[in-house]
Structure formats: C-alpha cells, structure tokens
C-alpha cells in the first residue's frame, strides 16, 4: 500500500518533449497545439453546420485564424517577456522559435478572431453568430494546448505537497509543484460543458456566449496567475498577466450584462448561410424525339 501511495503522491514529468523519428524531429508542444486546433475545428464545425452553415467556411476561418493567432501570440510574448525569456536571445531565430514555447493567449485570441471575422464578413455570414459558434471550441483548444506546457516542463505553479503535485527536474518534495496545466485543462473542459448547456438552455443575443467564454476563462486565469512562478513582469506586486486577466474579466462580464439584459434587442436574428454552389452551364436538349 505504501508503494501505491508513493506512486499516487505526484505526477511525473515526461523525460523529454522532443522525439526523433528517422529524419524527423517531433516537438510534443507542437503536437498538442495541433490536437487543440483539430478539436476546436471539429466542435465549431459541428455547431456551425447544425445552425445551417457549411464546413467550407470553418476551414477557411481556421486557416487564417490559426496563422494570425500564432503571430499575435508570439508578438505578445515578445513584448511582455523580452527580458525574462532567455530562449528569445539564445539564437538568431529565437524570436521565431514558437516550438520552444512562448505563446501568449492575450495576443492569440484578438489576432485570430480579427482574421476569422474578416473571412466571415467576406462570406456574407454573421460575425456575431460565428463568434458564438467558435467560443466553446476555443476554450477546449486552450485546455488541450496546456499539455504542451507539461511536455516542455514550463509554466508550473508554486511548491506544493498535494498528492497531485507535478515533478519537475527530479523527485522529492523539493521538486514538486502545482500542475497548473492540469488545473486549467480541468477548468476549461468544465467551462466548455457549461457553455454548451447555456447555449441550449437559454436564448442568447449573439455574441453573448463569446463574452461568457472570455469571462469563464479569465476568471480562472486570474487565480492561476497567483500560483505561477515562471519569470514575468510585475505591476503593483502582481504578475502583469494577473492584471490583464482581471481587466478582461471585468470587461467581458460588463459587456455580457449590458448586451444580454440592458441593451435594446435588434430586430434581426443572425443566421448561418451556406456557401452557394456555382451552377455550371445547362445542357441543351433538342426538341423532338431523342433517338
């Protein structure tokens, strides 16, 4: 029994986050991001098609959203962690080495959403409706993507003696920390289920669900920032992202209350429109009897 308790007393870290298969190098951080993106596309596509849309628009939004999301995430990290992240200055390509980690969600979501909104607008569909369609998928992707931090052994929390402590760089109490990646994954999955239930149970004014998604995420992220010990800029005794998260949380809650309960509802209800299929030339059929 003592041996079993010892096994359950902590979560082991992977020996490495990089694997070599023949001539290929596989970064598990990138693999987790790909799985996260696929999960987001799947959940968003199912919801969008159920609302009358088509998969073609989902794929186009995903391509541009992911590209600009990664760009925005990296820009935010470079701006806020230029003096704290040694990997940025380790090589000439350090600022572009996203496979080593260093993506800020605060840059990813605005850039990705803006790019996706541009694609949706060009298609003639409702941006507000698409924002609510993608909201649960984004949160699911953020939870899955946190396992990339597990493989990189980064962004963990303070020392802890809890039975689910995460082992970092060795065994023993001195090397056990809060597994913040697991905390956020658990919270995000529960929040996804809550968003799906709310969307089915209540009549929302689009994009109220997106505002709830932001509020759910930032509510926990604000708390999580009090646990993390990775290098960060500080302001008024707290990590910079603590204040960013808190401000975004308050803003999203205020927007949700105003949009859903205070603002006069608009007469139009946004609906998904499938992409029109171009018609080819019709075959001319000669009059009379065809032999």
């Amino acid at each position: 029994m003592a041996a079993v308790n010892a096994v359950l007393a902590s979560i082991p870290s992977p020996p490495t986050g990089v694997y070599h298969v023949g001539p290929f190098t596989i970064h598990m951080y990138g693999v987790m991001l790909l799985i996260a993106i696929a999960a987001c596309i799947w959940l968003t596509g199912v919801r969008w098609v159920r609302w009358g849309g088509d998969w073609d628009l989902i794929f186009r939004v995903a391509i541009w959203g992911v590209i600009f999301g990664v760009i925005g995430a990296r820009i935010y990290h470079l701006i806020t962690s230029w003096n704290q992240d040694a990997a940025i200055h380790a090589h000439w390509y350090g600022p572009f080495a996203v496979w080593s980690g260093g993506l800020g969600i605060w840059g990813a979501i605005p850039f990705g959403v803006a790019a996706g909104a541009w694609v949706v607008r060009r298609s003639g569909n409702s941006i507000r409706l698409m924002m609510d369609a993608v909201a649960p998928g984004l949160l699911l992707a953020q939870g899955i993507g946190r396992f990339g931090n597990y493989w990189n052994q980064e962004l963990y929390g303070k020392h802890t003696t809890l039975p689910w402590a995460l082992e970092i760089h060795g065994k023993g109490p001195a090397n056990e920390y809060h597994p913040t990646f697991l905390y956020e994954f658990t919270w995000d999955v529960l929040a996804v289920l809550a968003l799906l239930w709310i969307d089915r149970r209540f009549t929302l004014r689009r994009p109220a669900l997106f505002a709830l998604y932001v509020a759910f995420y930032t509510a926990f992220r604000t708390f999580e920032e009090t646990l993390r010990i990775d290098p960060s800029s500080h302001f008024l005794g707290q990590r910079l992202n603590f204040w960013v998260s808190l401000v975004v949380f308050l803003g999203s809650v205020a927007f949700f209350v105003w949009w859903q309960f205070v603002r006069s509802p608009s007469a139009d209800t946004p609906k998904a429109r499938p992409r029109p299929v171009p018609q080819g030339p019709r075959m001319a059929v000669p009059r009379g009897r065809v032999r």
Side-chain angles (χ1 to χ4, degrees):
M1 181 61 70
V4 174
N5 289 335
V7 172
L8 298 178
S10 61
I11 302 172
S13 289
T16 179
V18 180
Y19 294 90
H20 300 278
V21 181
F24 303 102
T25 300
I26 300 176
H27 295 266
M28 294 306 299
Y29 182 88
V31 171
M32 298 313 303
L33 291 185
L34 290 176
I35 295 175
I37 292 169
C40 179
I41 294 173
W42 167 77
L43 183 54
T44 303
V46 169
R47 287 168 55 78
W48 186 250
V49 170
R50 186 180 297 158
W51 292 352
D54 59 75
W55 278 98
D56 178 77
L57 180 59
I58 297 300
F59 292 137
R60 285 186 287 144
V61 168
I63 291 173
W64 290 104
V66 169
I67 292 174
F68 278 87
V70 172
I71 293 174
R74 191 59 178 176
I75 290 175
Y76 180 87
H77 178 75
L78 293 176
I79 292 175
T80 59
S81 302
W82 185 262
N83 296 323
Q84 288 79 28
D85 189 352
I88 296 176
H89 310 283
H91 306 281
W92 66 266
Y93 55 81
F96 312 100
V98 296
W99 54 86
S100 299
L103 296 175
I105 194 66
W106 311 112
I109 297 301
F111 273 64
V113 169
W118 176 75
V119 175
V120 173
R121 182 178 179 82
R122 285 179 57 88
S123 73
N125 275 275
S126 168
I127 295 175
R128 290 184 289 139
L129 187 63
M130 178 60 80
M131 289 176 69
D132 274 9
V134 76
L138 285 177
L139 194 53
L140 178 61
Q142 288 170 226
I144 296 174
R146 278 303 179 194
F147 277 89
N149 302 137
Y150 168 71
W151 284 99
N152 277 1
Q153 299 189 33
E154 60 184 3
L155 308 189
Y156 43 85
K158 301 175 182 177
H159 281 286
T160 182
T161 57
L162 292 171
W164 52 81
L166 176 65
E167 296 176 355
I168 297 292
H169 308 309
K171 294 183 177 294
N175 298 299
E176 294 178 353
Y177 301 83
H178 279 286
T180 51
F181 81 93
L182 187 59
Y183 296 165
E184 186 171 326
F185 170 76
T186 304
W187 173 269
D188 288 351
V189 170
L190 293 176
V192 167
L193 296 177
L195 288 175
L196 294 175
W197 179 79
I198 291 171
D199 200 29
R200 284 177 172 269
R201 179 66 177 80
F202 302 98
T203 301
L204 299 176
R205 300 177 186 174
R206 310 299 181 186
L209 193 72
F210 191 90
L212 281 181
Y213 141 67
V214 176
F216 283 170
Y217 175 74
T218 52
F220 181 80
R221 181 62 184 267
T222 303
F223 163 72
E224 183 184 355
E225 286 295 328
T226 65
L227 294 179
R228 285 173 47 170
I229 58 175
D230 51 289
S232 172
S233 300
H234 284 71
F235 178 72
L236 296 179
Q238 291 290 345
R239 295 164 58 88
L240 176 62
N241 284 339
F242 169 89
W243 296 110
V244 173
S245 183
L246 182 60
V247 170
V248 174
F249 169 75
L250 295 175
S252 61
V253 171
F255 174 84
F256 174 79
V257 172
W258 172 73
W259 187 270
Q260 183 68 19
F261 302 108
V262 180
R263 173 181 175 271
S264 299
S266 58
D268 62 317
T269 301
K271 296 181 180 180
R273 296 192 302 172
R275 185 181 186 184
V277 179
Q279 299 289 334
R282 297 179 179 274
M283 183 178 65
V285 179
R287 296 182 179 180
R289 187 176 179 182
V290 178
R291 301 185 181 183

